[in-house]
Amino acid sequence: MSNILIIKHGSLGDIAQISGAIQDIKENHSGDKVIMLTTSTYEELFLKCPYIDEVYIDQRFSRLNLFYLLKLKQMISKLRLLKIFDLQNSSRTSFYRKFLFNKIKWSSTETTLPLGTNKSDFDNDPVLERFNFQLTNSNIITKHTLKPNFSWACENIDDLKKKYNLEKYILLFPFCSIDLPHKKWPYYNDLILLIKKNNPEFKLIIAPSPNEIEESKKINALVILKDNKALTITQLAGLIDKARFIISNDTGPAHMAAHLGAKGVTLFGYHTTPKKVSIETNKFKAIVKDNLKELSAEEVYSNISKELSLV
């Protein structure tokens, strides 16, 4: 048995996206131990993943912290790795490859770039296609990379459904990172009024993160918490999985929904394209408007009304 390392620090949406890649790596190394190097935020999540055998934490201290870098190098060296799969493909992991783990066989965007292509050009391709190219050019037979399945992350939420009387519900994600306000669609309350008027059979709910709980009071939907705290990632995955429909900004939960096979829509502004981030599936679609303030609640409802009548 050999040891294989995968590096993925985050974020939540990116982790949902690499579910298929992780599965492919494990299936191609079924007799080996697959280890994940991640951040503490995602330790519990990866411990639940059936394709990961062990989880190590990278605290991602400054690259000027030589003591930490030496400690990290020693920790990884003890694993006697056969290969490292860099699924983060960041400047930090590039630094690791060049200065910490340069004696270990390494798979990344940089090491598998198409001939005559630079990384900035390659990064404009759809993200799942990039992972598929990286793995196939690292001798991995890919069956799942282009169609990730995040269902392993789902926790049983029967207790939440009972507490909040959740049967037929639509789950909304009206928030976004405070650093990315251009991703935030401003008319969720208007859309909620339209849905309540035309589809009264649905309960409309939101599941805020810890720093969104206060803001969630401004949305006219039922707030779902667990013991007065925000749901964990696995609880949130379970809630998404049981929803009849998802309506979301371009956030991590939207990517979770897409790769959980959920029905729904995500609302996209000018910041990127649905194709580039590989978010659309046959059930999960994007509504695109350069300026999200010009996307009315009526336009969104007209796009989803037929779907709502079928779920």
Side-chain angles (χ1 to χ4, degrees):
M1 174 186 289
S2 299
N3 292 332
I4 305 295
L5 185 72
I6 299 173
I7 303 178
K8 190 63 181 176
H9 294 131
S11 60
L12 179 56
D14 295 343
I15 288 171
Q17 287 179 329
I18 65 160
S19 294
I22 294 172
Q23 185 175 356
D24 281 329
I25 291 170
K26 181 60 179 177
E27 289 183 0
N28 280 260
H29 290 277
S30 57
D32 298 324
K33 178 184 285 188
V34 177
I35 302 166
M36 176 63 69
L37 181 66
T38 189
T39 55
S40 57
T41 301
Y42 302 108
E43 180 180 16
E44 183 180 345
L45 176 63
F46 279 123
L47 285 171
K48 186 180 175 65
C49 180
Y51 316 116
I52 300 297
D53 300 300
E54 204 168 334
V55 177
Y56 281 69
I57 302 303
D58 182 359
Q59 298 180 61
R60 293 196 302 174
F61 290 144
S62 167
R63 281 172 250 183
L64 299 178
N65 188 331
L66 299 181
F67 176 78
Y68 176 71
L69 293 177
L70 178 61
K71 184 179 178 181
L72 179 64
K73 182 175 182 178
Q74 290 173 339
M75 178 181 74
I76 298 302
S77 296
K78 289 178 181 179
L79 297 176
R80 300 186 181 279
L81 297 170
L82 176 68
K83 191 169 187 177
I84 294 176
F85 289 91
D86 177 7
L87 300 186
Q88 188 66 30
N89 286 307
S90 64
S91 60
R92 172 177 287 272
T93 55
S94 178
F95 172 85
Y96 286 177
R97 178 177 70 87
K98 294 173 182 175
F99 298 105
L100 297 185
F101 313 131
N102 55 0
K103 295 182 180 180
I104 304 172
K105 193 172 183 181
W106 189 285
S107 166
S108 67
T109 292
E110 288 183 319
T111 64
T112 59
L113 273 176
L115 189 65
T117 304
N118 62 50
K119 187 176 184 299
S120 60
D121 291 335
F122 187 61
D123 285 347
N124 287 321
D125 291 340
V127 63
L128 292 183
E129 292 182 16
R130 281 183 267 146
F131 282 130
N132 194 64
F133 185 92
Q134 176 184 337
L135 293 188
T136 55
N137 283 274
S138 301
N139 299 316
I140 296 293
I141 299 171
T142 58
K143 297 179 181 178
H144 311 286
T145 299
L146 291 173
K147 294 183 178 181
N149 184 344
F150 196 51
S151 61
W152 55 265
C154 293
E155 184 174 324
N156 185 299
I157 59 153
D158 286 348
D159 57 338
L160 285 174
K161 291 182 68 179
K162 182 178 180 180
K163 177 181 178 180
Y164 290 101
N165 191 24
L166 300 179
E167 290 300 329
K168 199 172 183 180
Y169 62 91
I170 295 172
L171 178 54
L172 311 172
F173 291 103
F175 309 113
C176 67
S177 167
I178 59 173
D179 299 322
L180 302 168
H182 53 280
K183 288 187 174 186
K184 190 173 183 179
W185 185 59
Y187 307 122
Y188 274 93
N189 281 334
D190 294 334
L191 179 62
I192 288 168
L193 286 175
L194 288 171
I195 295 174
K196 286 182 175 180
K197 177 182 177 181
N198 296 287
N199 308 89
E201 70 274 20
F202 290 111
K203 184 169 287 188
L204 290 109
I205 69 171
I206 55 177
S209 68
N211 61 354
E212 295 166 349
I213 292 176
E214 188 62 30
E215 188 180 1
S216 69
K217 297 175 183 178
K218 301 176 184 178
I219 304 297
N220 296 325
L222 178 64
V223 178
I224 306 299
L225 302 173
K226 175 79 170 181
D227 300 325
N228 295 318
K229 297 179 181 179
L231 302 188
T232 65
I233 295 172
T234 56
Q235 291 164 350
L236 183 62
L239 191 69
I240 292 171
D241 188 54
K242 299 300 181 184
R244 296 297 182 93
F245 203 78
I246 306 292
I247 305 169
S248 178
N249 296 331
D250 173 27
T251 62
H255 291 271
M256 291 173 65
H259 303 308
L260 283 166
K263 291 184 178 181
V265 295
T266 179
L267 311 177
F268 264 71
Y270 66 85
H271 57 282
T272 187
T273 66
K275 182 178 180 180
K276 183 177 179 180
V277 299
S278 301
I279 199 169
E280 289 193 291
T281 69
N282 61 337
K283 294 182 180 180
F284 199 76
K285 302 298 182 181
I287 300 174
V288 181
K289 185 80 75 170
D290 282 346
N291 185 349
L292 285 176
K293 292 181 180 179
E294 297 177 0
L295 178 62
S296 69
E298 289 77 14
E299 184 176 348
V300 173
Y301 186 75
S302 70
N303 274 271
I304 66 175
S305 58
K306 183 177 180 179
E307 285 291 330
L308 295 183
S309 68
L310 298 175
V311 297

